[in-house]
Structure formats: structure tokens, C-alpha cells
Amino acid sequence: SDATITGTSTQFASVLLPALPTLPAFPNPTLGSFTVNSGTQSHGPGSYTSGTVNGGTLVLSAGDYFFQSLTINANVTVRVQPTTRIFVKNTLGFQSPFLAASGSTVQRITLGYAGTTTLSMLATFNGTLIAPNASVLFGTDTSLTFTGSFFARTLEVNPGNNLVCSP
């Protein structure tokens, strides 16, 4: 009742929603933890206890990454490939976008979150977000755009932000 729709709206008698996508099983972490404070660090696919990016640049190659917790703070650089997939089991902080390996363009990727606490998406995102157990809050006080497919227990978009859904 408190939603605002701009553009054309069509009302259907009923809507059938598909089941939420499932996340893969989380393997036991075998690669430990890392923290990026400055400079550039590259890490390969695998299962990590935790990852934190406080400064500098994190480079992730193509493949599947599993984290028990992942924190990407504001004003850092995270470079990924189109086939990079990131899955986080417990705690996810998202304050900087995933960028293409060769530039500053936001890269489309898959991000999965198995946690139950609210996930605040505080940076531009492009890709598929799967958070079947969590509420997802998009945006801050500034205008951000989130593009892709979004699956979560609940979705909330802060005023002034844009959610652009695509298959």
C-alpha cells in the first residue's frame, strides 16, 4: 500500500512465484582468512574462513568462492571475472561494488548469502543475488542502482535508489 510505481502498471488476478534458488553446500574452510589493508592481493577460488577488505584492491579470479564471513568496506576495489561466484555463509558486509578485472565498470556476478540477519547492500550491484533466509535492504541516502535478479525472504529499496530487475 505504500509503494509508488512510475510508468505503466498491469494488475493480474494472481501471481505465481517460482521457488527461491538454492545455495550450494558450503565446504569446510581450508584456506583460512585474509585481510587486505593496502596494495593488491589476489586470491583463488576455494573455501575461506573469512575475508576482509579495508583498503587497497582484492582480485578474485573466475570460480567459486565460499566464505564463512566476508566484509567489503567502503572505498575499496574488488575486481572479479564474469564467472566469479561468491557465497557467504554467516556474515556479509557489502559497501563497495564488484568491478571488472580490466576497469572501473561494475561486473555482473552471482552473490549468495545464507545468513539470516539483514543484508544491507550499500554499493552498486549488478548480477544475481540469492539470500533465501534474509531480508535485503538496498541503498543508502544516495542514489544507487541495483541491476539483476534478486531472490530473498524480503526486499526493501530505500527512497532515491533504483532496483532494475532482469532475468
Side-chain angles (χ1 to χ4, degrees):
S1 64
D2 61 347
T4 302
I5 299 173
T6 57
T8 304
S9 173
T10 304
Q11 189 170 1
F12 296 95
S14 65
V15 176
L16 297 176
L17 297 175
L20 290 174
T22 58
L23 296 172
F26 281 80
N28 289 328
T30 57
L31 297 174
S33 299
F34 64 82
T35 299
V36 181
N37 289 316
S38 63
T40 300
Q41 284 188 29
S42 297
H43 291 276
S47 184
Y48 293 85
T49 302
S50 67
T52 303
V53 187
N54 293 320
T57 300
L58 171 63
V59 178
L60 301 178
S61 58
D64 289 351
Y65 291 79
F66 296 88
F67 293 92
Q68 297 296 303
S69 67
L70 176 63
T71 302
I72 301 170
N73 286 308
N75 303 312
V76 302
T77 301
V78 179
R79 298 199 183 282
V80 297
Q81 300 291 325
T83 54
T84 301
R85 298 188 326 159
I86 299 171
F87 301 100
V88 181
K89 187 172 185 178
N90 298 315
T91 307
L92 174 59
F94 184 77
Q95 297 183 51
S96 290
F98 296 110
L99 301 177
S102 61
S104 60
T105 305
V106 176
Q107 179 64 59
R108 183 174 180 82
I109 70 160
T110 298
L111 177 61
Y113 173 58
T116 57
T117 59
T118 298
L119 171 58
S120 295
M121 299 293 287
L122 303 178
T124 299
F125 178 82
N126 185 2
T128 300
L129 175 66
I130 305 166
N133 306 311
S135 296
V136 178
L137 177 62
F138 293 95
T140 61
D141 294 334
T142 60
S143 178
L144 297 173
T145 298
F146 305 89
T147 304
S149 299
F150 306 97
F151 304 92
R153 189 169 46 88
T154 62
L155 301 172
E156 181 179 345
V157 183
N158 275 326
N161 294 274
N162 300 300
L163 188 68
V164 180
C165 298
S166 61

